[in-house]
Amino acid sequence: MPKPVLLTVDDDPEVLRAIERDLRSRYSNRYRVMRANSGSAALDTLRELKARNNPVALLLADQRMPQMDGVGFLSEAMEMHPLAKRALLTAYADTSAAIDAINEARVHYYLMKPWDPPEEKLFPALDDLLHDWTATFRPPYEGIRVLGTRWSTRSYELRDFLARNQVPYQWIDVELSQSDPEVRSLVASLGPEAETLPLILFPDGARLAEPPLPAVADKIGLRTHTQTSFYDLAIVGGGPAGLAAAVYGASEGLHTVMIEREAPGGQAGLSSRIENYLGFPSGLSGNDLARRAVAQARRFGVEILAPQEAVGIRAEGPYRFLKLADGFEISCHALLLAMGVQWRTLDIPGIERLQGAGVYYGGGTSEALACKGETVYIIGGANSAGQAAMHFSKFAEKVVMLVRGISLASTMSHYLIEQIEKTSNIEV
Ligand SMILES: Cc1cc2nc3c(=O)[nH]c(=O)nc-3n(C[C@H](O)[C@H](O)[C@H](O)COP(=O)(O)OP(=O)(O)OC[C@H]3O[C@@H](n4cnc5c(N)ncnc54)[C@H](O)[C@@H]3O)c2cc1C
């Protein structure tokens, strides 16, 4: 976690340097001491810190500053960093303004200038404030954050992409900003940037608004381009079949590349619980299976390109040539096509518009949490529908399975039928 920030604000350069020096001498091992020479410069700094999810522990502002006084600054700062302790630095003549500020701007403390010796007149009060702050502080999430709206197809595509590529992230639904003060202050600190959604905030401060997936892949360090132009074995498709072939090929010493257009794991990666896979008696999630298989393939030196699509093949003598969507062409001794199948889509007018915005294909596992207390309809009566029903039943109030056959028995495995029968909030 980055060090929590202590920000001091004063328009007098000498005073600013002196207070900064004192703060550093006592707190720099646990806190990052920052300074600003005006209220508006300090607000800019706070906006940036908010966007980076960097915690702010203390704001210490001079009361008498041109344009924006200390109380004005602290009141605005409170909107962005409501948990930061706020202290005002005042000259004797401003004491009554400072006392009013404690009531009006909910300033936690006021300190008198000069503060020499700091061991007596500065540190005890600040120690006390910081002690209070530490007691209630919850470390912020440090990874990638995705801002968007629940019913946006682009937001869903991005969430699904990150989840299927095993990239942890925090989802922030900006429509909740009315009810959630944290979301509200984050949106306010981003200003007009928060209007182009989805928006990804990276821990290093970088932001991508409405990004194409290859740009996200580049930023998070996924390999999407080939390292060389010739391989012993090239595999198209990164589902279980492609991954298994990659592991066996590379373990025999073949220089192997696997090309996957979405995310390694294929359809299996969408499964909430695979229970019939040999060697996993209590089952495992599709994501877990994909993660393990990818690790195994990488250990044997397989080059995995994802997301990357194969768009053409040709043969020339003993070689096979594969054209990739980025325009590159690779050649190989052996080419293995493991592109699996694409699910059948529902033939209902207008449904494409709702895909990723209320209508989901596959297991829709990344949506389950958002369905708390809702009714979910699942269309289909085979194993993936059964797994999805079991998974959603843990979050939704009710799951209704719409099955056109006369029963589940002809299409679904016996173990899943038994589980569904025992689950009271699933209706078939
Ligand atoms: C929700 C769900 C749950 C399931 N649960 C189970 C279960 O519990 N037990 C079980 O045995 N089976 C289960 N299955 C079925 C199982 O996942 C599939 O049988 C299996 O994934 C097939 O593997 P595959 O590698 O042949 O193809 P796929 O998994 O379909 O993989 C093919 C891959 O090729 C990629 N691809 C296609 N064209 C290109 C191209 N031109 N360039 C690059 N990449 C390309 C696709 O993006 C895809 O990732 C489930 C399926 C789903 C959808």
Side-chain angles (χ1 to χ4, degrees), residues 154-422:
R154 283 290 287 119
S155 294
Y156 172 71
E157 190 189 22
L158 199 53
R159 288 202 311 271
D160 191 53
F161 174 76
L162 291 172
R164 291 184 64 194
N165 279 287
Q166 331 269 341
V167 179
Y169 67 91
Q170 185 183 45
W171 164 242
I172 298 170
D173 186 345
V174 298
E175 279 170 354
L176 297 181
S177 63
Q178 291 308 315
S179 55
D180 185 331
E182 259 302 298
V183 177
R184 191 165 49 238
S185 63
L186 175 62
V187 169
S189 72
L190 289 166
E193 270 190 278
E195 281 161 26
T196 312
L197 297 171
L199 173 69
I200 312 191
L201 307 178
F202 294 92
D204 65 0
R207 292 159 213 177
L208 291 177
E210 257 192 318
L213 296 183
V216 181
D218 271 355
K219 177 70 190 155
I220 58 182
L222 297 179
R223 182 178 293 167
T224 54
H225 304 291
T226 51
Q227 282 188 323
T228 56
S229 57
F230 182 79
Y231 296 85
D232 297 320
L233 170 64
I235 299 162
V236 181
L243 281 162
V247 166
Y248 288 114
S251 66
E252 291 305 319
L254 300 179
H255 184 205
T256 304
V257 64
M258 190 187 86
I259 295 131
E260 165 57 50
R261 72 174 165 201
E262 290 170 13
Q267 291 174 69
L270 299 165
S271 170
S272 50
R273 193 126 213 104
I274 298 173
E275 298 194 54
N276 59 349
Y277 198 67
L278 194 67
F280 293 89
S282 53
L284 83 172
S285 72
N287 228 325
D288 204 9
L289 179 69
R291 186 178 50 75
R292 287 162 184 265
V294 165
Q296 197 174 8
R298 290 220 168 99
R299 213 190 95 220
F300 285 119
V302 176
E303 210 178 290
I304 298 177
L305 307 185
Q308 180 59 268
E309 188 173 8
V311 292
I313 51 175
R314 66 189 173 89
E316 213 177 286
Y319 303 111
R320 304 288 174 268
F321 289 81
L322 193 59
K323 185 117 202 255
L324 304 181
D326 62 5
F328 280 91
E329 192 175 59
I330 59 171
S331 55
C332 54
H333 281 308
L335 175 63
L336 195 140
L337 303 179
M339 284 106 62
V341 291
Q342 192 63 25
W343 47 67
R344 191 184 314 154
T345 52
L346 196 58
D347 188 16
I348 293 180
I351 200 148
E352 311 80 43
R353 277 191 304 114
L354 298 174
Q355 189 171 335
V359 174
Y360 307 94
Y361 286 97
T365 44
S366 58
E367 281 317 285
L369 251 180
C371 295
K372 245 184 193 153
E374 297 178 350
T375 299
V376 174
Y377 288 84
I378 294 177
I379 301 173
N383 282 358
S384 51
Q387 279 176 12
M390 288 306 300
H391 185 60
F392 276 84
S393 71
K394 295 182 197 124
F395 303 92
E397 187 168 304
K398 189 173 172 190
V399 175
V400 183
M401 295 186 74
L402 303 173
V403 184
R404 63 182 162 190
I406 47 164
S407 79
L408 294 176
S410 57
T411 46
M412 194 179 288
S413 294
H414 181 65
Y415 78 94
L416 271 170
I417 296 178
E418 276 187 340
Q419 288 177 11
I420 287 170
E421 280 169 357
K422 284 187 199 143

